[in-house]
Amino acid sequence: MTQTITIRRPDDWHLHLRDGAMLRAVLPETTRHFARAIIMPNLVPPVVTGAQAAAYRQRILDALPQGSDFAPLMTLYLTEETDPHDVAAAHASGLVHAVKLYPAGATTNSASGVANFDKVRPVLERMAEIGLPLCVHGEVTDPQIDIFDREAVFIDRVLDPIRRATPGLRVVMEHITTSDAVSYARAAGPDLAATITTHHLVINRNHILAGGIRPHYYCLPVAKREVHRLALRAAATSGEARFFLGTDSAPHTDANKLLPCGCAGCFTASNTLSILAQVFETEDALDRLEGFTSLNGPAFYGLPANTAKVTLERSGATYPSHIETADGPVTVFDPGFALDWKVL
Ligand code: DOR
Ligand code: ZN
């Protein structure tokens, strides 16, 4: 039986760090194991311009633990007023690695997102020209559509039309949750990739709702039926280059999770690597863990893979139940099983 695995240092291709006290508290949880992360721009107010991204990047660098060489890869929040020239300049300077599309009202701090997709055509066309990826939160916001169907309907109504109208646009389907998304990604060429979170490999909707409601398992897109979780596990462990890790680790204080109308988000930064090793071992795919966490993402984003390594040892991992922040505790995702793999 394998006792240790050594892989290139992983990257997180979808991460929420927030700002201020929350940023300072959660950043070390990511920098401990990850070399780089694509930083989500859904702050209040959102990170829309290159200048705002540069300032946010500096706040992240200022909050880094002593000696950390973690690299935040910045994104811009797409609005109907986004200036294509500003996007292109921010990309050309090396600051910005993607633009994030939130359908207006789809999730946390998405009010400034896009309602009329025609209005962002000039930006998308410019991005296709310069090869800058669009990271997509793929859910429709139509209240008539059942929340468990919103990803599949988004693919038909929004994503596929955008991709057909914008040849060459490079797209990342973020945090996919359905077999529909897996199939759509597989049918496309190398312009399309998909990130998969740690928690969507572990929980289905029963974990949220059966035997009592579990707010710490509530996120968006919400976890779906078991058949979808199994499709995600098959995709993540397949070795296909189009699938890679984006944790969507999204800290909210317990006070904001445990409300009559609680926030969406699972905080997985602290134990993601141990959970993934367990998932990949269960699927008899430990040899494919490195591709998912450390190789496929940089290849899509046109960046070199990390040269540093991390080693995991079969010796049992522990993790804190909460991260303390000046705003109150943040609960760490509980996968519901013991973790056999410890990151050394
Ligand atoms: O669960 C989620 N939390 N999904 C998102 O799309 C946003 C994120 C957040 O910012 O809290
Ligand atoms: Zn997210």
Side-chain angles (χ1 to χ4, degrees), residues 24-50:
R24 287 189 290 278
V26 300
L27 185 57
E29 299 303 298
T30 286
T31 62
R32 192 173 297 133
H33 299 152
F34 292 87
R36 299 170 289 198
I38 284 275
I39 308 300
M40 287 296 125
N42 62 333
L43 306 183
V44 189
V47 180
V48 175
T49 65

PDB file of all heavy atoms in Angstrom, residues 24-50:
ATOM      1  N   ARG A  24      -6.996  38.440   6.199  1.00  0.00           N
ATOM      2  CA  ARG A  24      -5.820  38.117   7.025  1.00  0.00           C
ATOM      3  C   ARG A  24      -5.984  36.759   7.709  1.00  0.00           C
ATOM      4  O   ARG A  24      -5.027  36.010   7.864  1.00  0.00           O
ATOM      5  CB  ARG A  24      -5.575  39.217   8.063  1.00  0.00           C
ATOM      6  CG  ARG A  24      -5.009  40.487   7.442  1.00  0.00           C
ATOM      7  CD  ARG A  24      -4.560  41.479   8.514  1.00  0.00           C
ATOM      8  NE  ARG A  24      -5.682  42.052   9.242  1.00  0.00           N
ATOM      9  CZ  ARG A  24      -6.419  43.076   8.797  1.00  0.00           C
ATOM     10  NH1 ARG A  24      -6.152  43.626   7.621  1.00  0.00           N
ATOM     11  NH2 ARG A  24      -7.424  43.540   9.505  1.00  0.00           N
ATOM     12  N   ALA A  25      -7.219  36.421   8.094  1.00  0.00           N
ATOM     13  CA  ALA A  25      -7.441  35.161   8.814  1.00  0.00           C
ATOM     14  C   ALA A  25      -7.415  33.949   7.881  1.00  0.00           C
ATOM     15  O   ALA A  25      -6.901  32.891   8.248  1.00  0.00           O
ATOM     16  CB  ALA A  25      -8.774  35.217   9.554  1.00  0.00           C
ATOM     17  N   VAL A  26      -7.969  34.085   6.680  1.00  0.00           N
ATOM     18  CA  VAL A  26      -8.104  32.880   5.830  1.00  0.00           C
ATOM     19  C   VAL A  26      -6.923  32.677   4.886  1.00  0.00           C
ATOM     20  O   VAL A  26      -6.677  31.549   4.454  1.00  0.00           O
ATOM     21  CB  VAL A  26      -9.427  32.865   5.006  1.00  0.00           C
ATOM     22  CG1 VAL A  26     -10.626  32.891   5.930  1.00  0.00           C
ATOM     23  CG2 VAL A  26      -9.484  33.974   3.967  1.00  0.00           C
ATOM     24  N   LEU A  27      -6.174  33.735   4.584  1.00  0.00           N
ATOM     25  CA  LEU A  27      -5.092  33.595   3.599  1.00  0.00           C
ATOM     26  C   LEU A  27      -4.076  32.500   3.963  1.00  0.00           C
ATOM     27  O   LEU A  27      -3.702  31.697   3.098  1.00  0.00           O
ATOM     28  CB  LEU A  27      -4.414  34.963   3.403  1.00  0.00           C
ATOM     29  CG  LEU A  27      -3.334  35.065   2.334  1.00  0.00           C
ATOM     30  CD1 LEU A  27      -3.844  34.647   0.963  1.00  0.00           C
ATOM     31  CD2 LEU A  27      -2.794  36.508   2.278  1.00  0.00           C
ATOM     32  N   PRO A  28      -3.632  32.401   5.241  1.00  0.00           N
ATOM     33  CA  PRO A  28      -2.648  31.352   5.565  1.00  0.00           C
ATOM     34  C   PRO A  28      -3.178  29.938   5.329  1.00  0.00           C
ATOM     35  O   PRO A  28      -2.389  29.015   5.085  1.00  0.00           O
ATOM     36  CB  PRO A  28      -2.367  31.567   7.061  1.00  0.00           C
ATOM     37  CG  PRO A  28      -2.798  32.964   7.346  1.00  0.00           C
ATOM     38  CD  PRO A  28      -3.920  33.271   6.406  1.00  0.00           C
ATOM     39  N   GLU A  29      -4.487  29.759   5.382  1.00  0.00           N
ATOM     40  CA  GLU A  29      -5.055  28.423   5.150  1.00  0.00           C
ATOM     41  C   GLU A  29      -4.803  27.971   3.713  1.00  0.00           C
ATOM     42  O   GLU A  29      -4.645  26.782   3.449  1.00  0.00           O
ATOM     43  CB  GLU A  29      -6.558  28.417   5.457  1.00  0.00           C
ATOM     44  CG  GLU A  29      -6.891  28.763   6.896  1.00  0.00           C
ATOM     45  CD  GLU A  29      -6.188  27.827   7.863  1.00  0.00           C
ATOM     46  OE1 GLU A  29      -6.448  26.616   7.820  1.00  0.00           O
ATOM     47  OE2 GLU A  29      -5.359  28.326   8.669  1.00  0.00           O
ATOM     48  N   THR A  30      -4.753  28.930   2.791  1.00  0.00           N
ATOM     49  CA  THR A  30      -4.463  28.603   1.390  1.00  0.00           C
ATOM     50  C   THR A  30      -2.960  28.567   1.126  1.00  0.00           C
ATOM     51  O   THR A  30      -2.457  27.651   0.474  1.00  0.00           O
ATOM     52  CB  THR A  30      -5.171  29.611   0.456  1.00  0.00           C
ATOM     53  OG1 THR A  30      -6.573  29.308   0.447  1.00  0.00           O
ATOM     54  CG2 THR A  30      -4.654  29.504  -0.966  1.00  0.00           C
ATOM     55  N   THR A  31      -2.227  29.552   1.661  1.00  0.00           N
ATOM     56  CA  THR A  31      -0.794  29.638   1.307  1.00  0.00           C
ATOM     57  C   THR A  31       0.010  28.479   1.892  1.00  0.00           C
ATOM     58  O   THR A  31       1.090  28.169   1.392  1.00  0.00           O
ATOM     59  CB  THR A  31      -0.181  30.966   1.784  1.00  0.00           C
ATOM     60  OG1 THR A  31      -0.272  31.049   3.207  1.00  0.00           O
ATOM     61  CG2 THR A  31      -0.917  32.148   1.160  1.00  0.00           C
ATOM     62  N   ARG A  32      -0.515  27.818   2.915  1.00  0.00           N
ATOM     63  CA  ARG A  32       0.180  26.672   3.506  1.00  0.00           C
ATOM     64  C   ARG A  32       0.429  25.594   2.458  1.00  0.00           C
ATOM     65  O   ARG A  32       1.477  24.960   2.440  1.00  0.00           O
ATOM     66  CB  ARG A  32      -0.683  26.127   4.651  1.00  0.00           C
ATOM     67  CG  ARG A  32       0.004  25.142   5.546  1.00  0.00           C
ATOM     68  CD  ARG A  32      -0.867  24.800   6.747  1.00  0.00           C
ATOM     69  NE  ARG A  32      -1.125  25.964   7.575  1.00  0.00           N
ATOM     70  CZ  ARG A  32      -2.323  26.326   8.043  1.00  0.00           C
ATOM     71  NH1 ARG A  32      -3.393  25.611   7.772  1.00  0.00           N
ATOM     72  NH2 ARG A  32      -2.447  27.397   8.790  1.00  0.00           N
ATOM     73  N   HIS A  33      -0.530  25.372   1.561  1.00  0.00           N
ATOM     74  CA  HIS A  33      -0.412  24.258   0.621  1.00  0.00           C
ATOM     75  C   HIS A  33      -0.350  24.674  -0.836  1.00  0.00           C
ATOM     76  O   HIS A  33       0.131  23.913  -1.667  1.00  0.00           O
ATOM     77  CB  HIS A  33      -1.591  23.280   0.792  1.00  0.00           C
ATOM     78  CG  HIS A  33      -1.668  22.674   2.154  1.00  0.00           C
ATOM     79  ND1 HIS A  33      -2.846  22.245   2.735  1.00  0.00           N
ATOM     80  CD2 HIS A  33      -0.698  22.432   3.075  1.00  0.00           C
ATOM     81  CE1 HIS A  33      -2.601  21.767   3.936  1.00  0.00           C
ATOM     82  NE2 HIS A  33      -1.315  21.873   4.177  1.00  0.00           N
ATOM     83  N   PHE A  34      -0.885  25.849  -1.159  1.00  0.00           N
ATOM     84  CA  PHE A  34      -1.037  26.241  -2.568  1.00  0.00           C
ATOM     85  C   PHE A  34      -0.016  27.313  -2.950  1.00  0.00           C
ATOM     86  O   PHE A  34       0.291  28.194  -2.151  1.00  0.00           O
ATOM     87  CB  PHE A  34      -2.452  26.774  -2.826  1.00  0.00           C
ATOM     88  CG  PHE A  34      -3.510  25.713  -2.715  1.00  0.00           C
ATOM     89  CD1 PHE A  34      -4.089  25.405  -1.490  1.00  0.00           C
ATOM     90  CD2 PHE A  34      -3.919  25.001  -3.835  1.00  0.00           C
ATOM     91  CE1 PHE A  34      -5.053  24.410  -1.382  1.00  0.00           C
ATOM     92  CE2 PHE A  34      -4.885  24.010  -3.733  1.00  0.00           C
ATOM     93  CZ  PHE A  34      -5.453  23.715  -2.502  1.00  0.00           C
ATOM     94  N   ALA A  35       0.464  27.228  -4.194  1.00  0.00           N
ATOM     95  CA  ALA A  35       1.450  28.199  -4.682  1.00  0.00           C
ATOM     96  C   ALA A  35       0.774  29.435  -5.259  1.00  0.00           C
ATOM     97  O   ALA A  35       1.289  30.542  -5.146  1.00  0.00           O
ATOM     98  CB  ALA A  35       2.339  27.553  -5.736  1.00  0.00           C
ATOM     99  N   ARG A  36      -0.365  29.219  -5.941  1.00  0.00           N
ATOM    100  CA  ARG A  36      -1.058  30.326  -6.621  1.00  0.00           C
ATOM    101  C   ARG A  36      -2.555  30.087  -6.497  1.00  0.00           C
ATOM    102  O   ARG A  36      -2.991  28.948  -6.280  1.00  0.00           O
ATOM    103  CB  ARG A  36      -0.712  30.334  -8.119  1.00  0.00           C
ATOM    104  CG  ARG A  36       0.747  30.522  -8.422  1.00  0.00           C
ATOM    105  CD  ARG A  36       1.053  30.287  -9.897  1.00  0.00           C
ATOM    106  NE  ARG A  36       0.948  28.885 -10.265  1.00  0.00           N
ATOM    107  CZ  ARG A  36       1.474  28.339 -11.358  1.00  0.00           C
ATOM    108  NH1 ARG A  36       2.132  29.084 -12.218  1.00  0.00           N
ATOM    109  NH2 ARG A  36       1.320  27.046 -11.604  1.00  0.00           N
ATOM    110  N   ALA A  37      -3.326  31.151  -6.699  1.00  0.00           N
ATOM    111  CA  ALA A  37      -4.779  30.970  -6.788  1.00  0.00           C
ATOM    112  C   ALA A  37      -5.367  32.065  -7.645  1.00  0.00           C
ATOM    113  O   ALA A  37      -4.897  33.213  -7.632  1.00  0.00           O
ATOM    114  CB  ALA A  37      -5.421  30.981  -5.402  1.00  0.00           C
ATOM    115  N   ILE A  38      -6.399  31.686  -8.376  1.00  0.00           N
ATOM    116  CA  ILE A  38      -7.233  32.659  -9.098  1.00  0.00           C
ATOM    117  C   ILE A  38      -8.169  33.283  -8.058  1.00  0.00           C
ATOM    118  O   ILE A  38      -8.950  32.570  -7.406  1.00  0.00           O
ATOM    119  CB  ILE A  38      -8.032  31.951 -10.213  1.00  0.00           C
ATOM    120  CG1 ILE A  38      -7.113  31.645 -11.412  1.00  0.00           C
ATOM    121  CG2 ILE A  38      -9.242  32.753 -10.637  1.00  0.00           C
ATOM    122  CD1 ILE A  38      -6.946  32.774 -12.413  1.00  0.00           C
ATOM    123  N   ILE A  39      -8.043  34.605  -7.885  1.00  0.00           N
ATOM    124  CA  ILE A  39      -8.737  35.291  -6.797  1.00  0.00           C
ATOM    125  C   ILE A  39     -10.050  35.879  -7.302  1.00  0.00           C
ATOM    126  O   ILE A  39     -10.066  36.710  -8.213  1.00  0.00           O
ATOM    127  CB  ILE A  39      -7.862  36.437  -6.235  1.00  0.00           C
ATOM    128  CG1 ILE A  39      -6.457  35.931  -5.870  1.00  0.00           C
ATOM    129  CG2 ILE A  39      -8.560  37.092  -5.041  1.00  0.00           C
ATOM    130  CD1 ILE A  39      -6.413  34.850  -4.830  1.00  0.00           C
ATOM    131  N   MET A  40     -11.137  35.474  -6.682  1.00  0.00           N
ATOM    132  CA  MET A  40     -12.453  35.949  -7.097  1.00  0.00           C
ATOM    133  C   MET A  40     -12.644  37.424  -6.710  1.00  0.00           C
ATOM    134  O   MET A  40     -12.200  37.852  -5.635  1.00  0.00           O
ATOM    135  CB  MET A  40     -13.554  35.087  -6.473  1.00  0.00           C
ATOM    136  CG  MET A  40     -13.637  33.731  -7.119  1.00  0.00           C
ATOM    137  SD  MET A  40     -14.117  33.876  -8.866  1.00  0.00           S
ATOM    138  CE  MET A  40     -12.779  32.986  -9.657  1.00  0.00           C
ATOM    139  N   PRO A  41     -13.319  38.166  -7.583  1.00  0.00           N
ATOM    140  CA  PRO A  41     -13.417  39.626  -7.427  1.00  0.00           C
ATOM    141  C   PRO A  41     -14.729  40.099  -6.806  1.00  0.00           C
ATOM    142  O   PRO A  41     -15.036  41.289  -6.890  1.00  0.00           O
ATOM    143  CB  PRO A  41     -13.343  40.087  -8.891  1.00  0.00           C
ATOM    144  CG  PRO A  41     -14.113  39.022  -9.633  1.00  0.00           C
ATOM    145  CD  PRO A  41     -13.855  37.729  -8.890  1.00  0.00           C
ATOM    146  N   ASN A  42     -15.515  39.187  -6.182  1.00  0.00           N
ATOM    147  CA  ASN A  42     -16.849  39.602  -5.704  1.00  0.00           C
ATOM    148  C   ASN A  42     -16.792  40.230  -4.316  1.00  0.00           C
ATOM    149  O   ASN A  42     -17.455  39.792  -3.377  1.00  0.00           O
ATOM    150  CB  ASN A  42     -17.850  38.429  -5.753  1.00  0.00           C
ATOM    151  CG  ASN A  42     -17.467  37.264  -4.862  1.00  0.00           C
ATOM    152  OD1 ASN A  42     -16.282  37.055  -4.581  1.00  0.00           O
ATOM    153  ND2 ASN A  42     -18.451  36.492  -4.422  1.00  0.00           N
ATOM    154  N   LEU A  43     -15.966  41.274  -4.205  1.00  0.00           N
ATOM    155  CA  LEU A  43     -15.947  42.079  -2.982  1.00  0.00           C
ATOM    156  C   LEU A  43     -17.096  43.075  -3.047  1.00  0.00           C
ATOM    157  O   LEU A  43     -17.785  43.184  -4.054  1.00  0.00           O
ATOM    158  CB  LEU A  43     -14.623  42.848  -2.874  1.00  0.00           C
ATOM    159  CG  LEU A  43     -13.326  42.040  -2.972  1.00  0.00           C
ATOM    160  CD1 LEU A  43     -12.128  42.968  -2.779  1.00  0.00           C
ATOM    161  CD2 LEU A  43     -13.295  40.911  -1.950  1.00  0.00           C
ATOM    162  N   VAL A  44     -17.280  43.822  -1.940  1.00  0.00           N
ATOM    163  CA  VAL A  44     -18.243  44.919  -1.948  1.00  0.00           C
ATOM    164  C   VAL A  44     -17.476  46.215  -1.707  1.00  0.00           C
ATOM    165  O   VAL A  44     -16.952  46.388  -0.614  1.00  0.00           O
ATOM    166  CB  VAL A  44     -19.286  44.755  -0.817  1.00  0.00           C
ATOM    167  CG1 VAL A  44     -20.385  45.773  -0.970  1.00  0.00           C
ATOM    168  CG2 VAL A  44     -19.843  43.344  -0.791  1.00  0.00           C
ATOM    169  N   PRO A  45     -17.321  47.123  -2.672  1.00  0.00           N
ATOM    170  CA  PRO A  45     -17.739  46.990  -4.063  1.00  0.00           C
ATOM    171  C   PRO A  45     -16.837  46.018  -4.818  1.00  0.00           C
ATOM    172  O   PRO A  45     -15.723  45.728  -4.361  1.00  0.00           O
ATOM    173  CB  PRO A  45     -17.576  48.423  -4.611  1.00  0.00           C
ATOM    174  CG  PRO A  45     -16.499  49.028  -3.769  1.00  0.00           C
ATOM    175  CD  PRO A  45     -16.635  48.409  -2.405  1.00  0.00           C
ATOM    176  N   PRO A  46     -17.305  45.523  -5.974  1.00  0.00           N
ATOM    177  CA  PRO A  46     -16.530  44.511  -6.702  1.00  0.00           C
ATOM    178  C   PRO A  46     -15.254  45.081  -7.340  1.00  0.00           C
ATOM    179  O   PRO A  46     -15.114  46.283  -7.526  1.00  0.00           O
ATOM    180  CB  PRO A  46     -17.504  44.044  -7.788  1.00  0.00           C
ATOM    181  CG  PRO A  46     -18.499  45.127  -7.937  1.00  0.00           C
ATOM    182  CD  PRO A  46     -18.601  45.804  -6.602  1.00  0.00           C
ATOM    183  N   VAL A  47     -14.345  44.160  -7.670  1.00  0.00           N
ATOM    184  CA  VAL A  47     -13.077  44.502  -8.313  1.00  0.00           C
ATOM    185  C   VAL A  47     -13.324  44.540  -9.823  1.00  0.00           C
ATOM    186  O   VAL A  47     -13.312  43.508 -10.496  1.00  0.00           O
ATOM    187  CB  VAL A  47     -12.004  43.447  -7.968  1.00  0.00           C
ATOM    188  CG1 VAL A  47     -10.683  43.801  -8.651  1.00  0.00           C
ATOM    189  CG2 VAL A  47     -11.829  43.325  -6.461  1.00  0.00           C
ATOM    190  N   VAL A  48     -13.592  45.734 -10.339  1.00  0.00           N
ATOM    191  CA  VAL A  48     -14.030  45.860 -11.737  1.00  0.00           C
ATOM    192  C   VAL A  48     -12.896  46.305 -12.652  1.00  0.00           C
ATOM    193  O   VAL A  48     -12.756  45.799 -13.761  1.00  0.00           O
ATOM    194  CB  VAL A  48     -15.215  46.860 -11.832  1.00  0.00           C
ATOM    195  CG1 VAL A  48     -15.611  47.105 -13.281  1.00  0.00           C
ATOM    196  CG2 VAL A  48     -16.411  46.332 -11.034  1.00  0.00           C
ATOM    197  N   THR A  49     -12.087  47.241 -12.190  1.00  0.00           N
ATOM    198  CA  THR A  49     -11.071  47.826 -13.074  1.00  0.00           C
ATOM    199  C   THR A  49      -9.686  47.258 -12.776  1.00  0.00           C
ATOM    200  O   THR A  49      -9.431  46.697 -11.691  1.00  0.00           O
ATOM    201  CB  THR A  49     -11.004  49.352 -12.873  1.00  0.00           C
ATOM    202  OG1 THR A  49     -10.546  49.609 -11.530  1.00  0.00           O
ATOM    203  CG2 THR A  49     -12.368  49.995 -13.096  1.00  0.00           C
ATOM    204  N   GLY A  50      -8.782  47.475 -13.725  1.00  0.00           N
ATOM    205  CA  GLY A  50      -7.395  47.072 -13.515  1.00  0.00           C
ATOM    206  C   GLY A  50      -6.806  47.744 -12.277  1.00  0.00           C
ATOM    207  O   GLY A  50      -6.088  47.107 -11.501  1.00  0.00           O
TER     208      GLY A  50
END
